[in-house]
Amino acid sequence: MITKARFLMPSAWLRPMTLLGMLAVFQACTTTTIDEFRQGATGISSEDSVVILGRTPVSPNDADPSQFVECVGERMASGDNAINVIPEQQFVDAMFPWFEPRMAPKRNEDLQLMMAQPMVTDIMSGLGVRYIVWLDGQTERTNEMGQLSCGLGTGGGGCVGFVTWEDDSSFEARVWDISSATEVGTISADAVGQTYIPAIVIPIPLIARVEANACSSLADQLKQFVQGD
Amino acid sequence: MSNCTVSVNHAVPAAVLAQSRRTAKPVFSLCRLQPLLVSLMVLLTLASCAARTVNVEGSYPRPNIPAIPLVLGVYYGEGLTDFVYTELTDSGEEEYLVTSGDTHEVLFNTVLPAMFERVVVLDSLEAAAAQGVDAVFIPRINEFQLGMPQKTRLDSYEVWVRYNMRLTGVDGSYIADWVMTAYGKATASSFSTAERGINDAAVAALRDLASNFSLGFTGVPDVNDWLQRRSSQ
């Protein structure tokens, strides 16, 4: 009797689980919107490099986009039409103290003032920097709902419940052309996705990879933008 | 540390004594072991109470700025080299001792030679005249604050430092006296230990100071006035 019950149980709950899983996979997808605003012509040679910089936090409440910056840089430096990307820390150290959090140029006018310094232009030329991309933004988690309970007994363990939340990644990339010390465009990426974790004995996490999708979409668009396509 | 009291009772339990009268051999070994065990317990208890010391260490890039044509004397005195910040627990016990005198010297010894034509590190303020310097710079730490993730509920270690910067003539006369603040943050989840997090947040704060100081030095009103008076002479 017990053996029979054990044998029948998986197939009994597998069917609804499969349906639930398929439904959740379908709903766990991410929607990414990319907006591009071009202000000037672009183009890049094989000797030129791009620097991706994040707005480093200068107060406790500021978001730290360093992981996103790394992700965008890695994506731009790989694949088809890969671009030379100078690592953020290497660039900031070489340019010290001009790109430290409190000193970094925030507006086009600040960039022009900074580029008027012969030492700054010399280092930029030495590094082969053609474009600086300023990244700003964050991922916010909202609409967290549900409850998941897990237990462990002598006969085994398991989880029951359902939790869900929404992630919203909103990032903006401002592209500065160093050769003309002007802003040549802005690209924004907005990705939204709902994560579901249903659990009937085993939790099935259906994670919406919101920030990863925002990163890849923004990096691909930036690559095209600086190449002038 | 002061609230951590350790009481040690060396008395041998009565049951053990009674047993020792009946069988000598096993009690002999227990008696031999007891002081060792007690000492071990005391050491363990004291170790768990002791505050952990973080001696901030870091390297700092040389600033890329044009040098001011001045010979500057710098004096690392009290309030900088001997400054120790003590972080207390909620119950008032010492938790961390943060020392940053050495790393401040490393920082200024990297930054100042890039900012000035020549820099002389002075052993005392009286030695300034003999060294032929134009002015003497005396940095001091006024206040140090530490933000720990478990207290701020943020995923980061944070360090705030307030400095008093003083620039005097060779004879100790006033040139400028101003306050500077520095802030550094390090993401908590990136570090395996709190000591590493505190260190990196402090190094970030020192970089912040270095950038602000090197680019803002000539913008300090009294320093600017003094430089203009010198250039017009």
Side-chain angles (χ1 to χ4, degrees), chain A residues 56-64 66-67 89 92-103 117 119-120 123, chain B residues 60-66 111 154 156 158 160 181-183 185 187 204 207-216:
Chain A
T56 316
V58 290
S59 74
N61 296 322
D62 290 349
D64 183 1
S66 55
Q67 282 185 328
Q89 196 57 51
V92 172
D93 283 351
M95 294 297 302
F96 189 80
W98 299 96
F99 282 86
E100 288 302 300
R102 271 204 285 178
M103 298 297 145
Q117 299 283 333
M119 287 181 102
V120 173
I123 303 165
Chain B
Y60 310 94
R62 188 183 161 91
N64 298 291
I65 50 168
V111 171
L154 295 170
S156 55
E158 293 168 290
W160 293 267
T181 55
Y183 171 76
K185 183 176 178 179
T187 308
R207 271 184 81 120
D208 185 40
L209 167 76
S211 64
N212 201 8
F213 180 77
S214 57
L215 289 178

Tab-separated table of all heavy atoms in Angstrom, chain A residues 56-64 66-67 89 92-103 117 119-120 123, chain B residues 60-66 111 154 156 158 160 181-183 185 187 204 207-216:
chain	number	residue	atom	x	y	z
A	56	THR	N	30.075	56.639	-9.026
A	56	THR	CA	30.412	56.033	-7.731
A	56	THR	C	29.687	56.763	-6.614
A	56	THR	O	29.576	57.991	-6.653
A	56	THR	CB	31.930	56.112	-7.514
A	56	THR	OG1	32.564	55.746	-8.730
A	56	THR	CG2	32.394	55.188	-6.411
A	57	PRO	N	29.180	56.019	-5.613
A	57	PRO	CA	28.420	56.669	-4.537
A	57	PRO	C	29.252	57.663	-3.737
A	57	PRO	O	30.386	57.379	-3.381
A	57	PRO	CB	27.969	55.505	-3.655
A	57	PRO	CG	28.830	54.358	-4.030
A	57	PRO	CD	29.261	54.576	-5.439
A	58	VAL	N	28.698	58.835	-3.521
A	58	VAL	CA	29.377	59.827	-2.675
A	58	VAL	C	28.579	60.102	-1.397
A	58	VAL	O	28.935	60.952	-0.605
A	58	VAL	CB	29.637	61.156	-3.431
A	58	VAL	CG1	30.701	60.974	-4.489
A	58	VAL	CG2	28.364	61.708	-4.048
A	59	SER	N	27.494	59.367	-1.207
A	59	SER	CA	26.728	59.445	0.044
A	59	SER	C	26.088	58.087	0.301
A	59	SER	O	25.969	57.269	-0.618
A	59	SER	CB	25.666	60.538	-0.044
A	59	SER	OG	24.620	60.120	-0.868
A	60	PRO	N	25.682	57.801	1.542
A	60	PRO	CA	25.173	56.466	1.890
A	60	PRO	C	23.995	55.991	1.039
A	60	PRO	O	23.854	54.802	0.791
A	60	PRO	CB	24.751	56.614	3.356
A	60	PRO	CG	25.539	57.756	3.867
A	60	PRO	CD	25.747	58.682	2.713
A	61	ASN	N	23.136	56.895	0.586
A	61	ASN	CA	21.932	56.477	-0.124
A	61	ASN	C	22.134	56.284	-1.629
A	61	ASN	O	21.223	55.854	-2.316
A	61	ASN	CB	20.800	57.486	0.116
A	61	ASN	CG	20.405	57.530	1.575
A	61	ASN	OD1	20.375	56.496	2.242
A	61	ASN	ND2	20.140	58.706	2.087
A	62	ASP	N	23.309	56.630	-2.127
A	62	ASP	CA	23.561	56.480	-3.555
A	62	ASP	C	23.712	55.014	-3.929
A	62	ASP	O	24.333	54.240	-3.200
A	62	ASP	CB	24.838	57.235	-3.950
A	62	ASP	CG	24.656	58.736	-3.879
A	62	ASP	OD1	23.512	59.176	-3.731
A	62	ASP	OD2	25.667	59.458	-3.977
A	63	ALA	N	23.154	54.662	-5.109
A	63	ALA	CA	23.290	53.287	-5.596
A	63	ALA	C	24.703	53.083	-6.136
A	63	ALA	O	25.337	54.027	-6.598
A	63	ALA	CB	22.269	53.049	-6.693
A	64	ASP	N	25.188	51.849	-6.040
A	64	ASP	CA	26.515	51.531	-6.536
A	64	ASP	C	26.372	50.673	-7.795
A	64	ASP	O	26.060	49.491	-7.710
A	64	ASP	CB	27.297	50.781	-5.439
A	64	ASP	CG	28.722	50.486	-5.861
A	64	ASP	OD1	29.094	50.871	-6.984
A	64	ASP	OD2	29.455	49.875	-5.071
A	66	SER	N	28.605	49.485	-9.810
A	66	SER	CA	29.885	48.920	-10.241
A	66	SER	C	29.747	47.550	-10.939
A	66	SER	O	30.440	47.285	-11.914
A	66	SER	CB	30.849	48.832	-9.062
A	66	SER	OG	30.276	48.118	-8.016
A	67	GLN	N	28.844	46.695	-10.435
A	67	GLN	CA	28.681	45.379	-11.061
A	67	GLN	C	28.095	45.510	-12.467
A	67	GLN	O	28.476	44.792	-13.385
A	67	GLN	CB	27.773	44.503	-10.201
A	67	GLN	CG	28.510	43.920	-9.002
A	67	GLN	CD	27.655	42.958	-8.215
A	67	GLN	OE1	26.442	43.120	-8.147
A	67	GLN	NE2	28.268	41.968	-7.616
A	89	GLN	N	38.773	50.730	-13.106
A	89	GLN	CA	39.740	51.077	-12.063
A	89	GLN	C	41.075	51.498	-12.651
A	89	GLN	O	41.722	52.433	-12.155
A	89	GLN	CB	39.912	49.899	-11.095
A	89	GLN	CG	40.575	50.260	-9.770
A	89	GLN	CD	39.843	51.364	-9.003
A	89	GLN	OE1	38.637	51.274	-8.794
A	89	GLN	NE2	40.540	52.427	-8.616
A	92	VAL	N	40.614	55.089	-13.870
A	92	VAL	CA	40.470	56.045	-12.757
A	92	VAL	C	41.811	56.265	-12.059
A	92	VAL	O	42.158	57.394	-11.705
A	92	VAL	CB	39.370	55.562	-11.768
A	92	VAL	CG1	39.333	56.406	-10.517
A	92	VAL	CG2	38.004	55.581	-12.437
A	93	ASP	N	42.600	55.188	-11.896
A	93	ASP	CA	43.936	55.306	-11.283
A	93	ASP	C	44.874	56.122	-12.178
A	93	ASP	O	45.622	56.964	-11.690
A	93	ASP	CB	44.542	53.921	-11.023
A	93	ASP	CG	43.942	53.246	-9.795
A	93	ASP	OD1	43.190	53.920	-9.059
A	93	ASP	OD2	44.221	52.055	-9.576
A	94	ALA	N	44.838	55.837	-13.479
A	94	ALA	CA	45.722	56.545	-14.418
A	94	ALA	C	45.384	58.035	-14.485
A	94	ALA	O	46.270	58.859	-14.677
A	94	ALA	CB	45.617	55.916	-15.799
A	95	MET	N	44.103	58.361	-14.315
A	95	MET	CA	43.649	59.752	-14.430
A	95	MET	C	43.590	60.471	-13.079
A	95	MET	O	43.123	61.604	-13.001
A	95	MET	CB	42.235	59.801	-15.045
A	95	MET	CG	42.135	59.327	-16.474
A	95	MET	SD	43.074	60.325	-17.643
A	95	MET	CE	42.396	61.934	-17.410
A	96	PHE	N	44.004	59.810	-12.021
A	96	PHE	CA	43.871	60.359	-10.665
A	96	PHE	C	44.383	61.801	-10.593
A	96	PHE	O	45.476	62.082	-11.078
A	96	PHE	CB	44.641	59.470	-9.674
A	96	PHE	CG	44.402	59.810	-8.236
A	96	PHE	CD1	43.260	59.374	-7.588
A	96	PHE	CD2	45.296	60.593	-7.532
A	96	PHE	CE1	43.034	59.694	-6.260
A	96	PHE	CE2	45.076	60.923	-6.212
A	96	PHE	CZ	43.940	60.478	-5.579
A	97	PRO	N	43.668	62.734	-10.010
A	97	PRO	CA	42.406	62.609	-9.256
A	97	PRO	C	41.165	63.073	-10.028
A	97	PRO	O	40.125	63.303	-9.435
A	97	PRO	CB	42.653	63.574	-8.099
A	97	PRO	CG	43.454	64.687	-8.727
A	97	PRO	CD	44.249	64.072	-9.833
A	98	TRP	N	41.276	63.158	-11.354
A	98	TRP	CA	40.215	63.811	-12.142
A	98	TRP	C	38.920	63.017	-12.209
A	98	TRP	O	37.870	63.592	-12.490
A	98	TRP	CB	40.737	64.101	-13.542
A	98	TRP	CG	41.913	65.019	-13.510
A	98	TRP	CD1	43.240	64.677	-13.535
A	98	TRP	CD2	41.873	66.446	-13.371
A	98	TRP	NE1	44.027	65.799	-13.442
A	98	TRP	CE2	43.219	66.903	-13.346
A	98	TRP	CE3	40.853	67.379	-13.273
A	98	TRP	CZ2	43.558	68.244	-13.223
A	98	TRP	CZ3	41.187	68.718	-13.169
A	98	TRP	CH2	42.511	69.142	-13.134
A	99	PHE	N	38.960	61.710	-12.046
A	99	PHE	CA	37.727	60.913	-12.136
A	99	PHE	C	37.354	60.258	-10.810
A	99	PHE	O	36.632	59.264	-10.778
A	99	PHE	CB	37.852	59.868	-13.265
A	99	PHE	CG	37.644	60.488	-14.623
A	99	PHE	CD1	38.695	61.065	-15.305
A	99	PHE	CD2	36.385	60.544	-15.204
A	99	PHE	CE1	38.518	61.670	-16.538
A	99	PHE	CE2	36.187	61.143	-16.428
A	99	PHE	CZ	37.251	61.710	-17.105
A	100	GLU	N	37.835	60.834	-9.721
A	100	GLU	CA	37.397	60.370	-8.398
A	100	GLU	C	35.939	60.806	-8.198
A	100	GLU	O	35.507	61.811	-8.799
A	100	GLU	CB	38.294	60.966	-7.317
A	100	GLU	CG	39.694	60.381	-7.282
A	100	GLU	CD	39.729	58.883	-7.070
A	100	GLU	OE1	39.242	58.415	-6.037
A	100	GLU	OE2	40.240	58.169	-7.941
A	101	PRO	N	35.185	60.064	-7.367
A	101	PRO	CA	33.735	60.312	-7.272
A	101	PRO	C	33.303	61.775	-7.151
A	101	PRO	O	32.413	62.215	-7.861
A	101	PRO	CB	33.329	59.527	-6.027
A	101	PRO	CG	34.333	58.440	-5.939
A	101	PRO	CD	35.604	58.970	-6.503
A	102	ARG	N	33.975	62.532	-6.269
A	102	ARG	CA	33.513	63.914	-6.058
A	102	ARG	C	34.054	64.884	-7.106
A	102	ARG	O	33.572	66.007	-7.210
A	102	ARG	CB	33.926	64.386	-4.660
A	102	ARG	CG	32.884	64.041	-3.621
A	102	ARG	CD	32.969	64.957	-2.436
A	102	ARG	NE	34.105	64.634	-1.583
A	102	ARG	CZ	34.408	65.337	-0.506
A	102	ARG	NH1	33.703	66.401	-0.194
A	102	ARG	NH2	35.432	64.995	0.252
A	103	MET	N	35.101	64.466	-7.819
A	103	MET	CA	35.776	65.381	-8.738
A	103	MET	C	35.410	65.148	-10.200
A	103	MET	O	35.667	65.997	-11.048
A	103	MET	CB	37.300	65.216	-8.589
A	103	MET	CG	37.808	65.556	-7.226
A	103	MET	SD	37.488	67.301	-6.903
A	103	MET	CE	37.145	67.281	-5.172
A	117	GLN	N	43.124	70.909	-19.500
A	117	GLN	CA	44.357	70.638	-18.753
A	117	GLN	C	45.278	69.772	-19.625
A	117	GLN	O	44.903	68.650	-19.982
A	117	GLN	CB	44.035	69.870	-17.463
A	117	GLN	CG	43.139	70.591	-16.496
A	117	GLN	CD	43.900	71.672	-15.721
A	117	GLN	OE1	45.105	71.568	-15.531
A	117	GLN	NE2	43.187	72.702	-15.304
A	119	MET	N	47.827	67.977	-18.944
A	119	MET	CA	48.151	66.661	-18.368
A	119	MET	C	47.041	65.657	-18.622
A	119	MET	O	47.301	64.475	-18.862
A	119	MET	CB	48.374	66.779	-16.855
A	119	MET	CG	49.680	67.447	-16.486
A	119	MET	SD	49.889	67.531	-14.716
A	119	MET	CE	51.013	66.201	-14.438
A	120	VAL	N	45.808	66.147	-18.577
A	120	VAL	CA	44.648	65.266	-18.771
A	120	VAL	C	44.602	64.775	-20.212
A	120	VAL	O	44.450	63.563	-20.473
A	120	VAL	CB	43.334	66.003	-18.397
A	120	VAL	CG1	42.119	65.169	-18.757
A	120	VAL	CG2	43.330	66.339	-16.912
A	123	ILE	N	47.313	62.132	-20.972
A	123	ILE	CA	47.037	60.769	-20.465
A	123	ILE	C	45.938	60.110	-21.298
A	123	ILE	O	46.031	58.931	-21.639
A	123	ILE	CB	46.646	60.794	-18.965
A	123	ILE	CG1	47.755	61.450	-18.138
A	123	ILE	CG2	46.414	59.383	-18.445
A	123	ILE	CD1	47.333	61.842	-16.746
B	60	TYR	N	48.065	54.585	-3.005
B	60	TYR	CA	47.362	55.724	-3.582
B	60	TYR	C	48.092	56.208	-4.821
B	60	TYR	O	49.331	56.327	-4.804
B	60	TYR	CB	47.262	56.854	-2.544
B	60	TYR	CG	46.722	56.334	-1.222
B	60	TYR	CD1	47.580	55.933	-0.204
B	60	TYR	CD2	45.360	56.178	-1.025
B	60	TYR	CE1	47.101	55.412	0.984
B	60	TYR	CE2	44.864	55.654	0.164
B	60	TYR	CZ	45.746	55.272	1.165
B	60	TYR	OH	45.256	54.739	2.329
B	61	PRO	N	47.342	56.502	-5.893
B	61	PRO	CA	48.015	56.962	-7.109
B	61	PRO	C	48.552	58.385	-6.945
B	61	PRO	O	48.030	59.167	-6.146
B	61	PRO	CB	46.907	56.933	-8.168
B	61	PRO	CG	45.703	56.370	-7.521
B	61	PRO	CD	45.885	56.434	-6.051
B	62	ARG	N	49.577	58.709	-7.724
B	62	ARG	CA	50.158	60.053	-7.708
B	62	ARG	C	49.253	60.964	-8.534
B	62	ARG	O	48.887	60.627	-9.663
B	62	ARG	CB	51.556	59.972	-8.328
B	62	ARG	CG	52.369	61.219	-8.232
B	62	ARG	CD	53.696	60.995	-8.964
B	62	ARG	NE	54.329	62.262	-9.293
B	62	ARG	CZ	55.202	62.884	-8.508
B	62	ARG	NH1	55.548	62.343	-7.382
B	62	ARG	NH2	55.726	64.044	-8.856
B	63	PRO	N	48.868	62.119	-8.005
B	63	PRO	CA	47.964	62.999	-8.759
B	63	PRO	C	48.624	63.577	-10.019
B	63	PRO	O	49.810	63.905	-10.002
B	63	PRO	CB	47.648	64.125	-7.768
B	63	PRO	CG	48.072	63.652	-6.442
B	63	PRO	CD	49.159	62.653	-6.672
B	64	ASN	N	47.827	63.675	-11.065
B	64	ASN	CA	48.297	64.261	-12.321
B	64	ASN	C	47.870	65.724	-12.363
B	64	ASN	O	46.851	66.074	-12.970
B	64	ASN	CB	47.691	63.500	-13.502
B	64	ASN	CG	48.116	62.061	-13.528
B	64	ASN	OD1	49.267	61.754	-13.788
B	64	ASN	ND2	47.186	61.164	-13.219
B	65	ILE	N	48.614	66.551	-11.673
B	65	ILE	CA	48.301	67.979	-11.624
B	65	ILE	C	49.606	68.778	-11.725
B	65	ILE	O	50.661	68.273	-11.350
B	65	ILE	CB	47.535	68.363	-10.327
B	65	ILE	CG1	48.257	67.794	-9.092
B	65	ILE	CG2	46.099	67.904	-10.360
B	65	ILE	CD1	47.735	68.353	-7.799
B	66	PRO	N	49.516	70.024	-12.207
B	66	PRO	CA	50.735	70.825	-12.288
B	66	PRO	C	51.221	71.214	-10.891
B	66	PRO	O	50.414	71.534	-10.013
B	66	PRO	CB	50.309	72.052	-13.101
B	66	PRO	CG	48.824	72.061	-13.073
B	66	PRO	CD	48.346	70.703	-12.767
B	111	VAL	N	50.964	62.272	-2.435
B	111	VAL	CA	50.211	63.397	-3.016
B	111	VAL	C	51.033	64.695	-3.028
B	111	VAL	O	51.096	65.381	-4.054
B	111	VAL	CB	48.879	63.591	-2.237
B	111	VAL	CG1	48.176	64.877	-2.658
B	111	VAL	CG2	47.967	62.397	-2.447
B	154	LEU	N	22.690	48.880	6.125
B	154	LEU	CA	23.044	49.059	4.715
B	154	LEU	C	24.057	47.981	4.351
B	154	LEU	O	24.776	47.484	5.215
B	154	LEU	CB	23.656	50.439	4.477
B	154	LEU	CG	22.753	51.650	4.702
B	154	LEU	CD1	23.569	52.929	4.676
B	154	LEU	CD2	21.655	51.710	3.649
B	156	SER	N	26.923	48.010	3.330
B	156	SER	CA	28.234	48.627	3.099
B	156	SER	C	28.899	49.072	4.399
B	156	SER	O	28.233	49.361	5.383
B	156	SER	CB	28.079	49.830	2.171
B	156	SER	OG	27.136	50.727	2.685
B	158	GLU	N	31.159	52.082	5.871
B	158	GLU	CA	31.347	53.481	5.504
B	158	GLU	C	32.297	54.154	6.486
B	158	GLU	O	32.271	53.850	7.681
B	158	GLU	CB	30.010	54.213	5.543
B	158	GLU	CG	29.040	53.759	4.477
B	158	GLU	CD	27.657	54.287	4.731
B	158	GLU	OE1	27.023	53.825	5.699
B	158	GLU	OE2	27.230	55.183	4.000
B	160	TRP	N	33.703	58.089	7.500
B	160	TRP	CA	33.703	59.556	7.367
B	160	TRP	C	34.884	60.073	8.199
B	160	TRP	O	35.081	59.615	9.319
B	160	TRP	CB	32.449	60.196	7.976
B	160	TRP	CG	31.157	59.911	7.298
B	160	TRP	CD1	30.555	60.672	6.327
B	160	TRP	CD2	30.240	58.830	7.562
B	160	TRP	NE1	29.346	60.113	5.975
B	160	TRP	CE2	29.134	58.982	6.706
B	160	TRP	CE3	30.277	57.736	8.427
B	160	TRP	CZ2	28.069	58.099	6.706
B	160	TRP	CZ3	29.213	56.850	8.422
B	160	TRP	CH2	28.125	57.038	7.572
B	181	THR	N	36.451	67.255	4.674
B	181	THR	CA	35.811	65.982	5.027
B	181	THR	C	36.074	64.966	3.922
B	181	THR	O	36.268	65.337	2.766
B	181	THR	CB	34.291	66.139	5.211
B	181	THR	OG1	33.757	66.725	4.032
B	181	THR	CG2	33.947	66.983	6.416
B	182	ALA	N	36.070	63.717	4.313
B	182	ALA	CA	36.282	62.640	3.336
B	182	ALA	C	35.291	61.523	3.620
B	182	ALA	O	34.934	61.276	4.778
B	182	ALA	CB	37.707	62.124	3.440
B	183	TYR	N	34.843	60.877	2.561
B	183	TYR	CA	33.871	59.789	2.707
B	183	TYR	C	34.289	58.605	1.842
B	183	TYR	O	34.715	58.783	0.696
B	183	TYR	CB	32.480	60.274	2.282
B	183	TYR	CG	31.448	59.168	2.184
B	183	TYR	CD1	30.890	58.627	3.328
B	183	TYR	CD2	31.059	58.656	0.949
B	183	TYR	CE1	29.959	57.601	3.246
B	183	TYR	CE2	30.126	57.631	0.855
B	183	TYR	CZ	29.582	57.115	2.001
B	183	TYR	OH	28.664	56.098	1.918
B	185	LYS	N	33.195	54.305	0.952
B	185	LYS	CA	32.192	53.257	1.112
B	185	LYS	C	32.709	51.981	0.460
B	185	LYS	O	33.343	52.046	-0.592
B	185	LYS	CB	30.915	53.745	0.407
B	185	LYS	CG	29.711	52.853	0.506
B	185	LYS	CD	28.551	53.568	-0.181
B	185	LYS	CE	27.301	52.737	-0.188
B	185	LYS	NZ	26.164	53.421	-0.829
B	187	THR	N	31.329	47.913	-0.403
B	187	THR	CA	30.177	47.001	-0.348
B	187	THR	C	30.474	45.821	0.568
B	187	THR	O	31.478	45.129	0.387
B	187	THR	CB	29.823	46.507	-1.765
B	187	THR	OG1	29.684	47.653	-2.596
B	187	THR	CG2	28.531	45.712	-1.777
B	204	ALA	N	39.123	54.171	0.600
B	204	ALA	CA	38.277	54.965	-0.313
B	204	ALA	C	38.122	56.395	0.215
B	204	ALA	O	38.148	57.362	-0.556
B	204	ALA	CB	36.913	54.296	-0.478
B	207	ARG	N	41.349	58.259	-0.456
B	207	ARG	CA	41.426	58.657	-1.881
B	207	ARG	C	40.569	59.882	-2.115
B	207	ARG	O	40.941	60.780	-2.878
B	207	ARG	CB	40.926	57.515	-2.769
B	207	ARG	CG	41.967	56.532	-3.197
B	207	ARG	CD	41.369	55.510	-4.149
B	207	ARG	NE	41.295	56.027	-5.507
B	207	ARG	CZ	41.913	55.476	-6.553
B	207	ARG	NH1	42.637	54.407	-6.396
B	207	ARG	NH2	41.794	55.993	-7.758
B	208	ASP	N	39.410	59.903	-1.468
B	208	ASP	CA	38.501	61.060	-1.592
B	208	ASP	C	39.189	62.320	-1.064
B	208	ASP	O	39.138	63.377	-1.685
B	208	ASP	CB	37.210	60.763	-0.808
B	208	ASP	CG	36.171	61.857	-0.974
B	208	ASP	OD1	36.028	62.372	-2.093
B	208	ASP	OD2	35.505	62.197	0.024
B	209	LEU	N	39.876	62.164	0.072
B	209	LEU	CA	40.613	63.295	0.641
B	209	LEU	C	41.706	63.752	-0.326
B	209	LEU	O	41.848	64.953	-0.595
B	209	LEU	CB	41.245	62.887	1.977
B	209	LEU	CG	42.296	63.861	2.517
B	209	LEU	CD1	41.625	65.090	3.100
B	209	LEU	CD2	43.201	63.205	3.538
B	210	ALA	N	42.452	62.785	-0.863
B	210	ALA	CA	43.572	63.116	-1.757
B	210	ALA	C	43.099	63.873	-2.988
B	210	ALA	O	43.724	64.856	-3.402
B	210	ALA	CB	44.288	61.833	-2.170
B	211	SER	N	41.982	63.437	-3.573
B	211	SER	CA	41.487	64.106	-4.785
B	211	SER	C	40.992	65.504	-4.465
B	211	SER	O	41.300	66.473	-5.166
B	211	SER	CB	40.387	63.273	-5.443
B	211	SER	OG	39.278	63.168	-4.589
B	212	ASN	N	40.244	65.610	-3.382
B	212	ASN	CA	39.687	66.908	-2.982
B	212	ASN	C	40.800	67.876	-2.584
B	212	ASN	O	40.776	69.058	-2.945
B	212	ASN	CB	38.730	66.665	-1.805
B	212	ASN	CG	37.743	67.788	-1.629
B	212	ASN	OD1	37.661	68.687	-2.455
B	212	ASN	ND2	37.002	67.752	-0.538
B	213	PHE	N	41.797	67.359	-1.880
B	213	PHE	CA	42.896	68.201	-1.405
B	213	PHE	C	43.764	68.675	-2.575
B	213	PHE	O	44.093	69.853	-2.684
B	213	PHE	CB	43.744	67.417	-0.396
B	213	PHE	CG	44.907	68.190	0.151
B	213	PHE	CD1	44.717	69.166	1.128
B	213	PHE	CD2	46.192	67.972	-0.316
B	213	PHE	CE1	45.787	69.893	1.619
B	213	PHE	CE2	47.264	68.687	0.177
B	213	PHE	CZ	47.063	69.655	1.143
B	214	SER	N	44.107	67.735	-3.467
B	214	SER	CA	45.031	68.099	-4.554
B	214	SER	C	44.384	69.049	-5.556
B	214	SER	O	45.057	69.936	-6.075
B	214	SER	CB	45.546	66.842	-5.249
B	214	SER	OG	44.473	66.074	-5.733
B	215	LEU	N	43.097	68.890	-5.819
B	215	LEU	CA	42.450	69.782	-6.787
B	215	LEU	C	41.891	71.049	-6.128
B	215	LEU	O	41.658	72.046	-6.807
B	215	LEU	CB	41.324	69.056	-7.533
B	215	LEU	CG	41.772	67.981	-8.534
B	215	LEU	CD1	40.578	67.290	-9.168
B	215	LEU	CD2	42.647	68.593	-9.641
B	216	GLY	N	41.681	70.990	-4.821
B	216	GLY	CA	41.039	72.135	-4.158
B	216	GLY	C	41.975	73.012	-3.346
B	216	GLY	O	41.547	74.041	-2.809
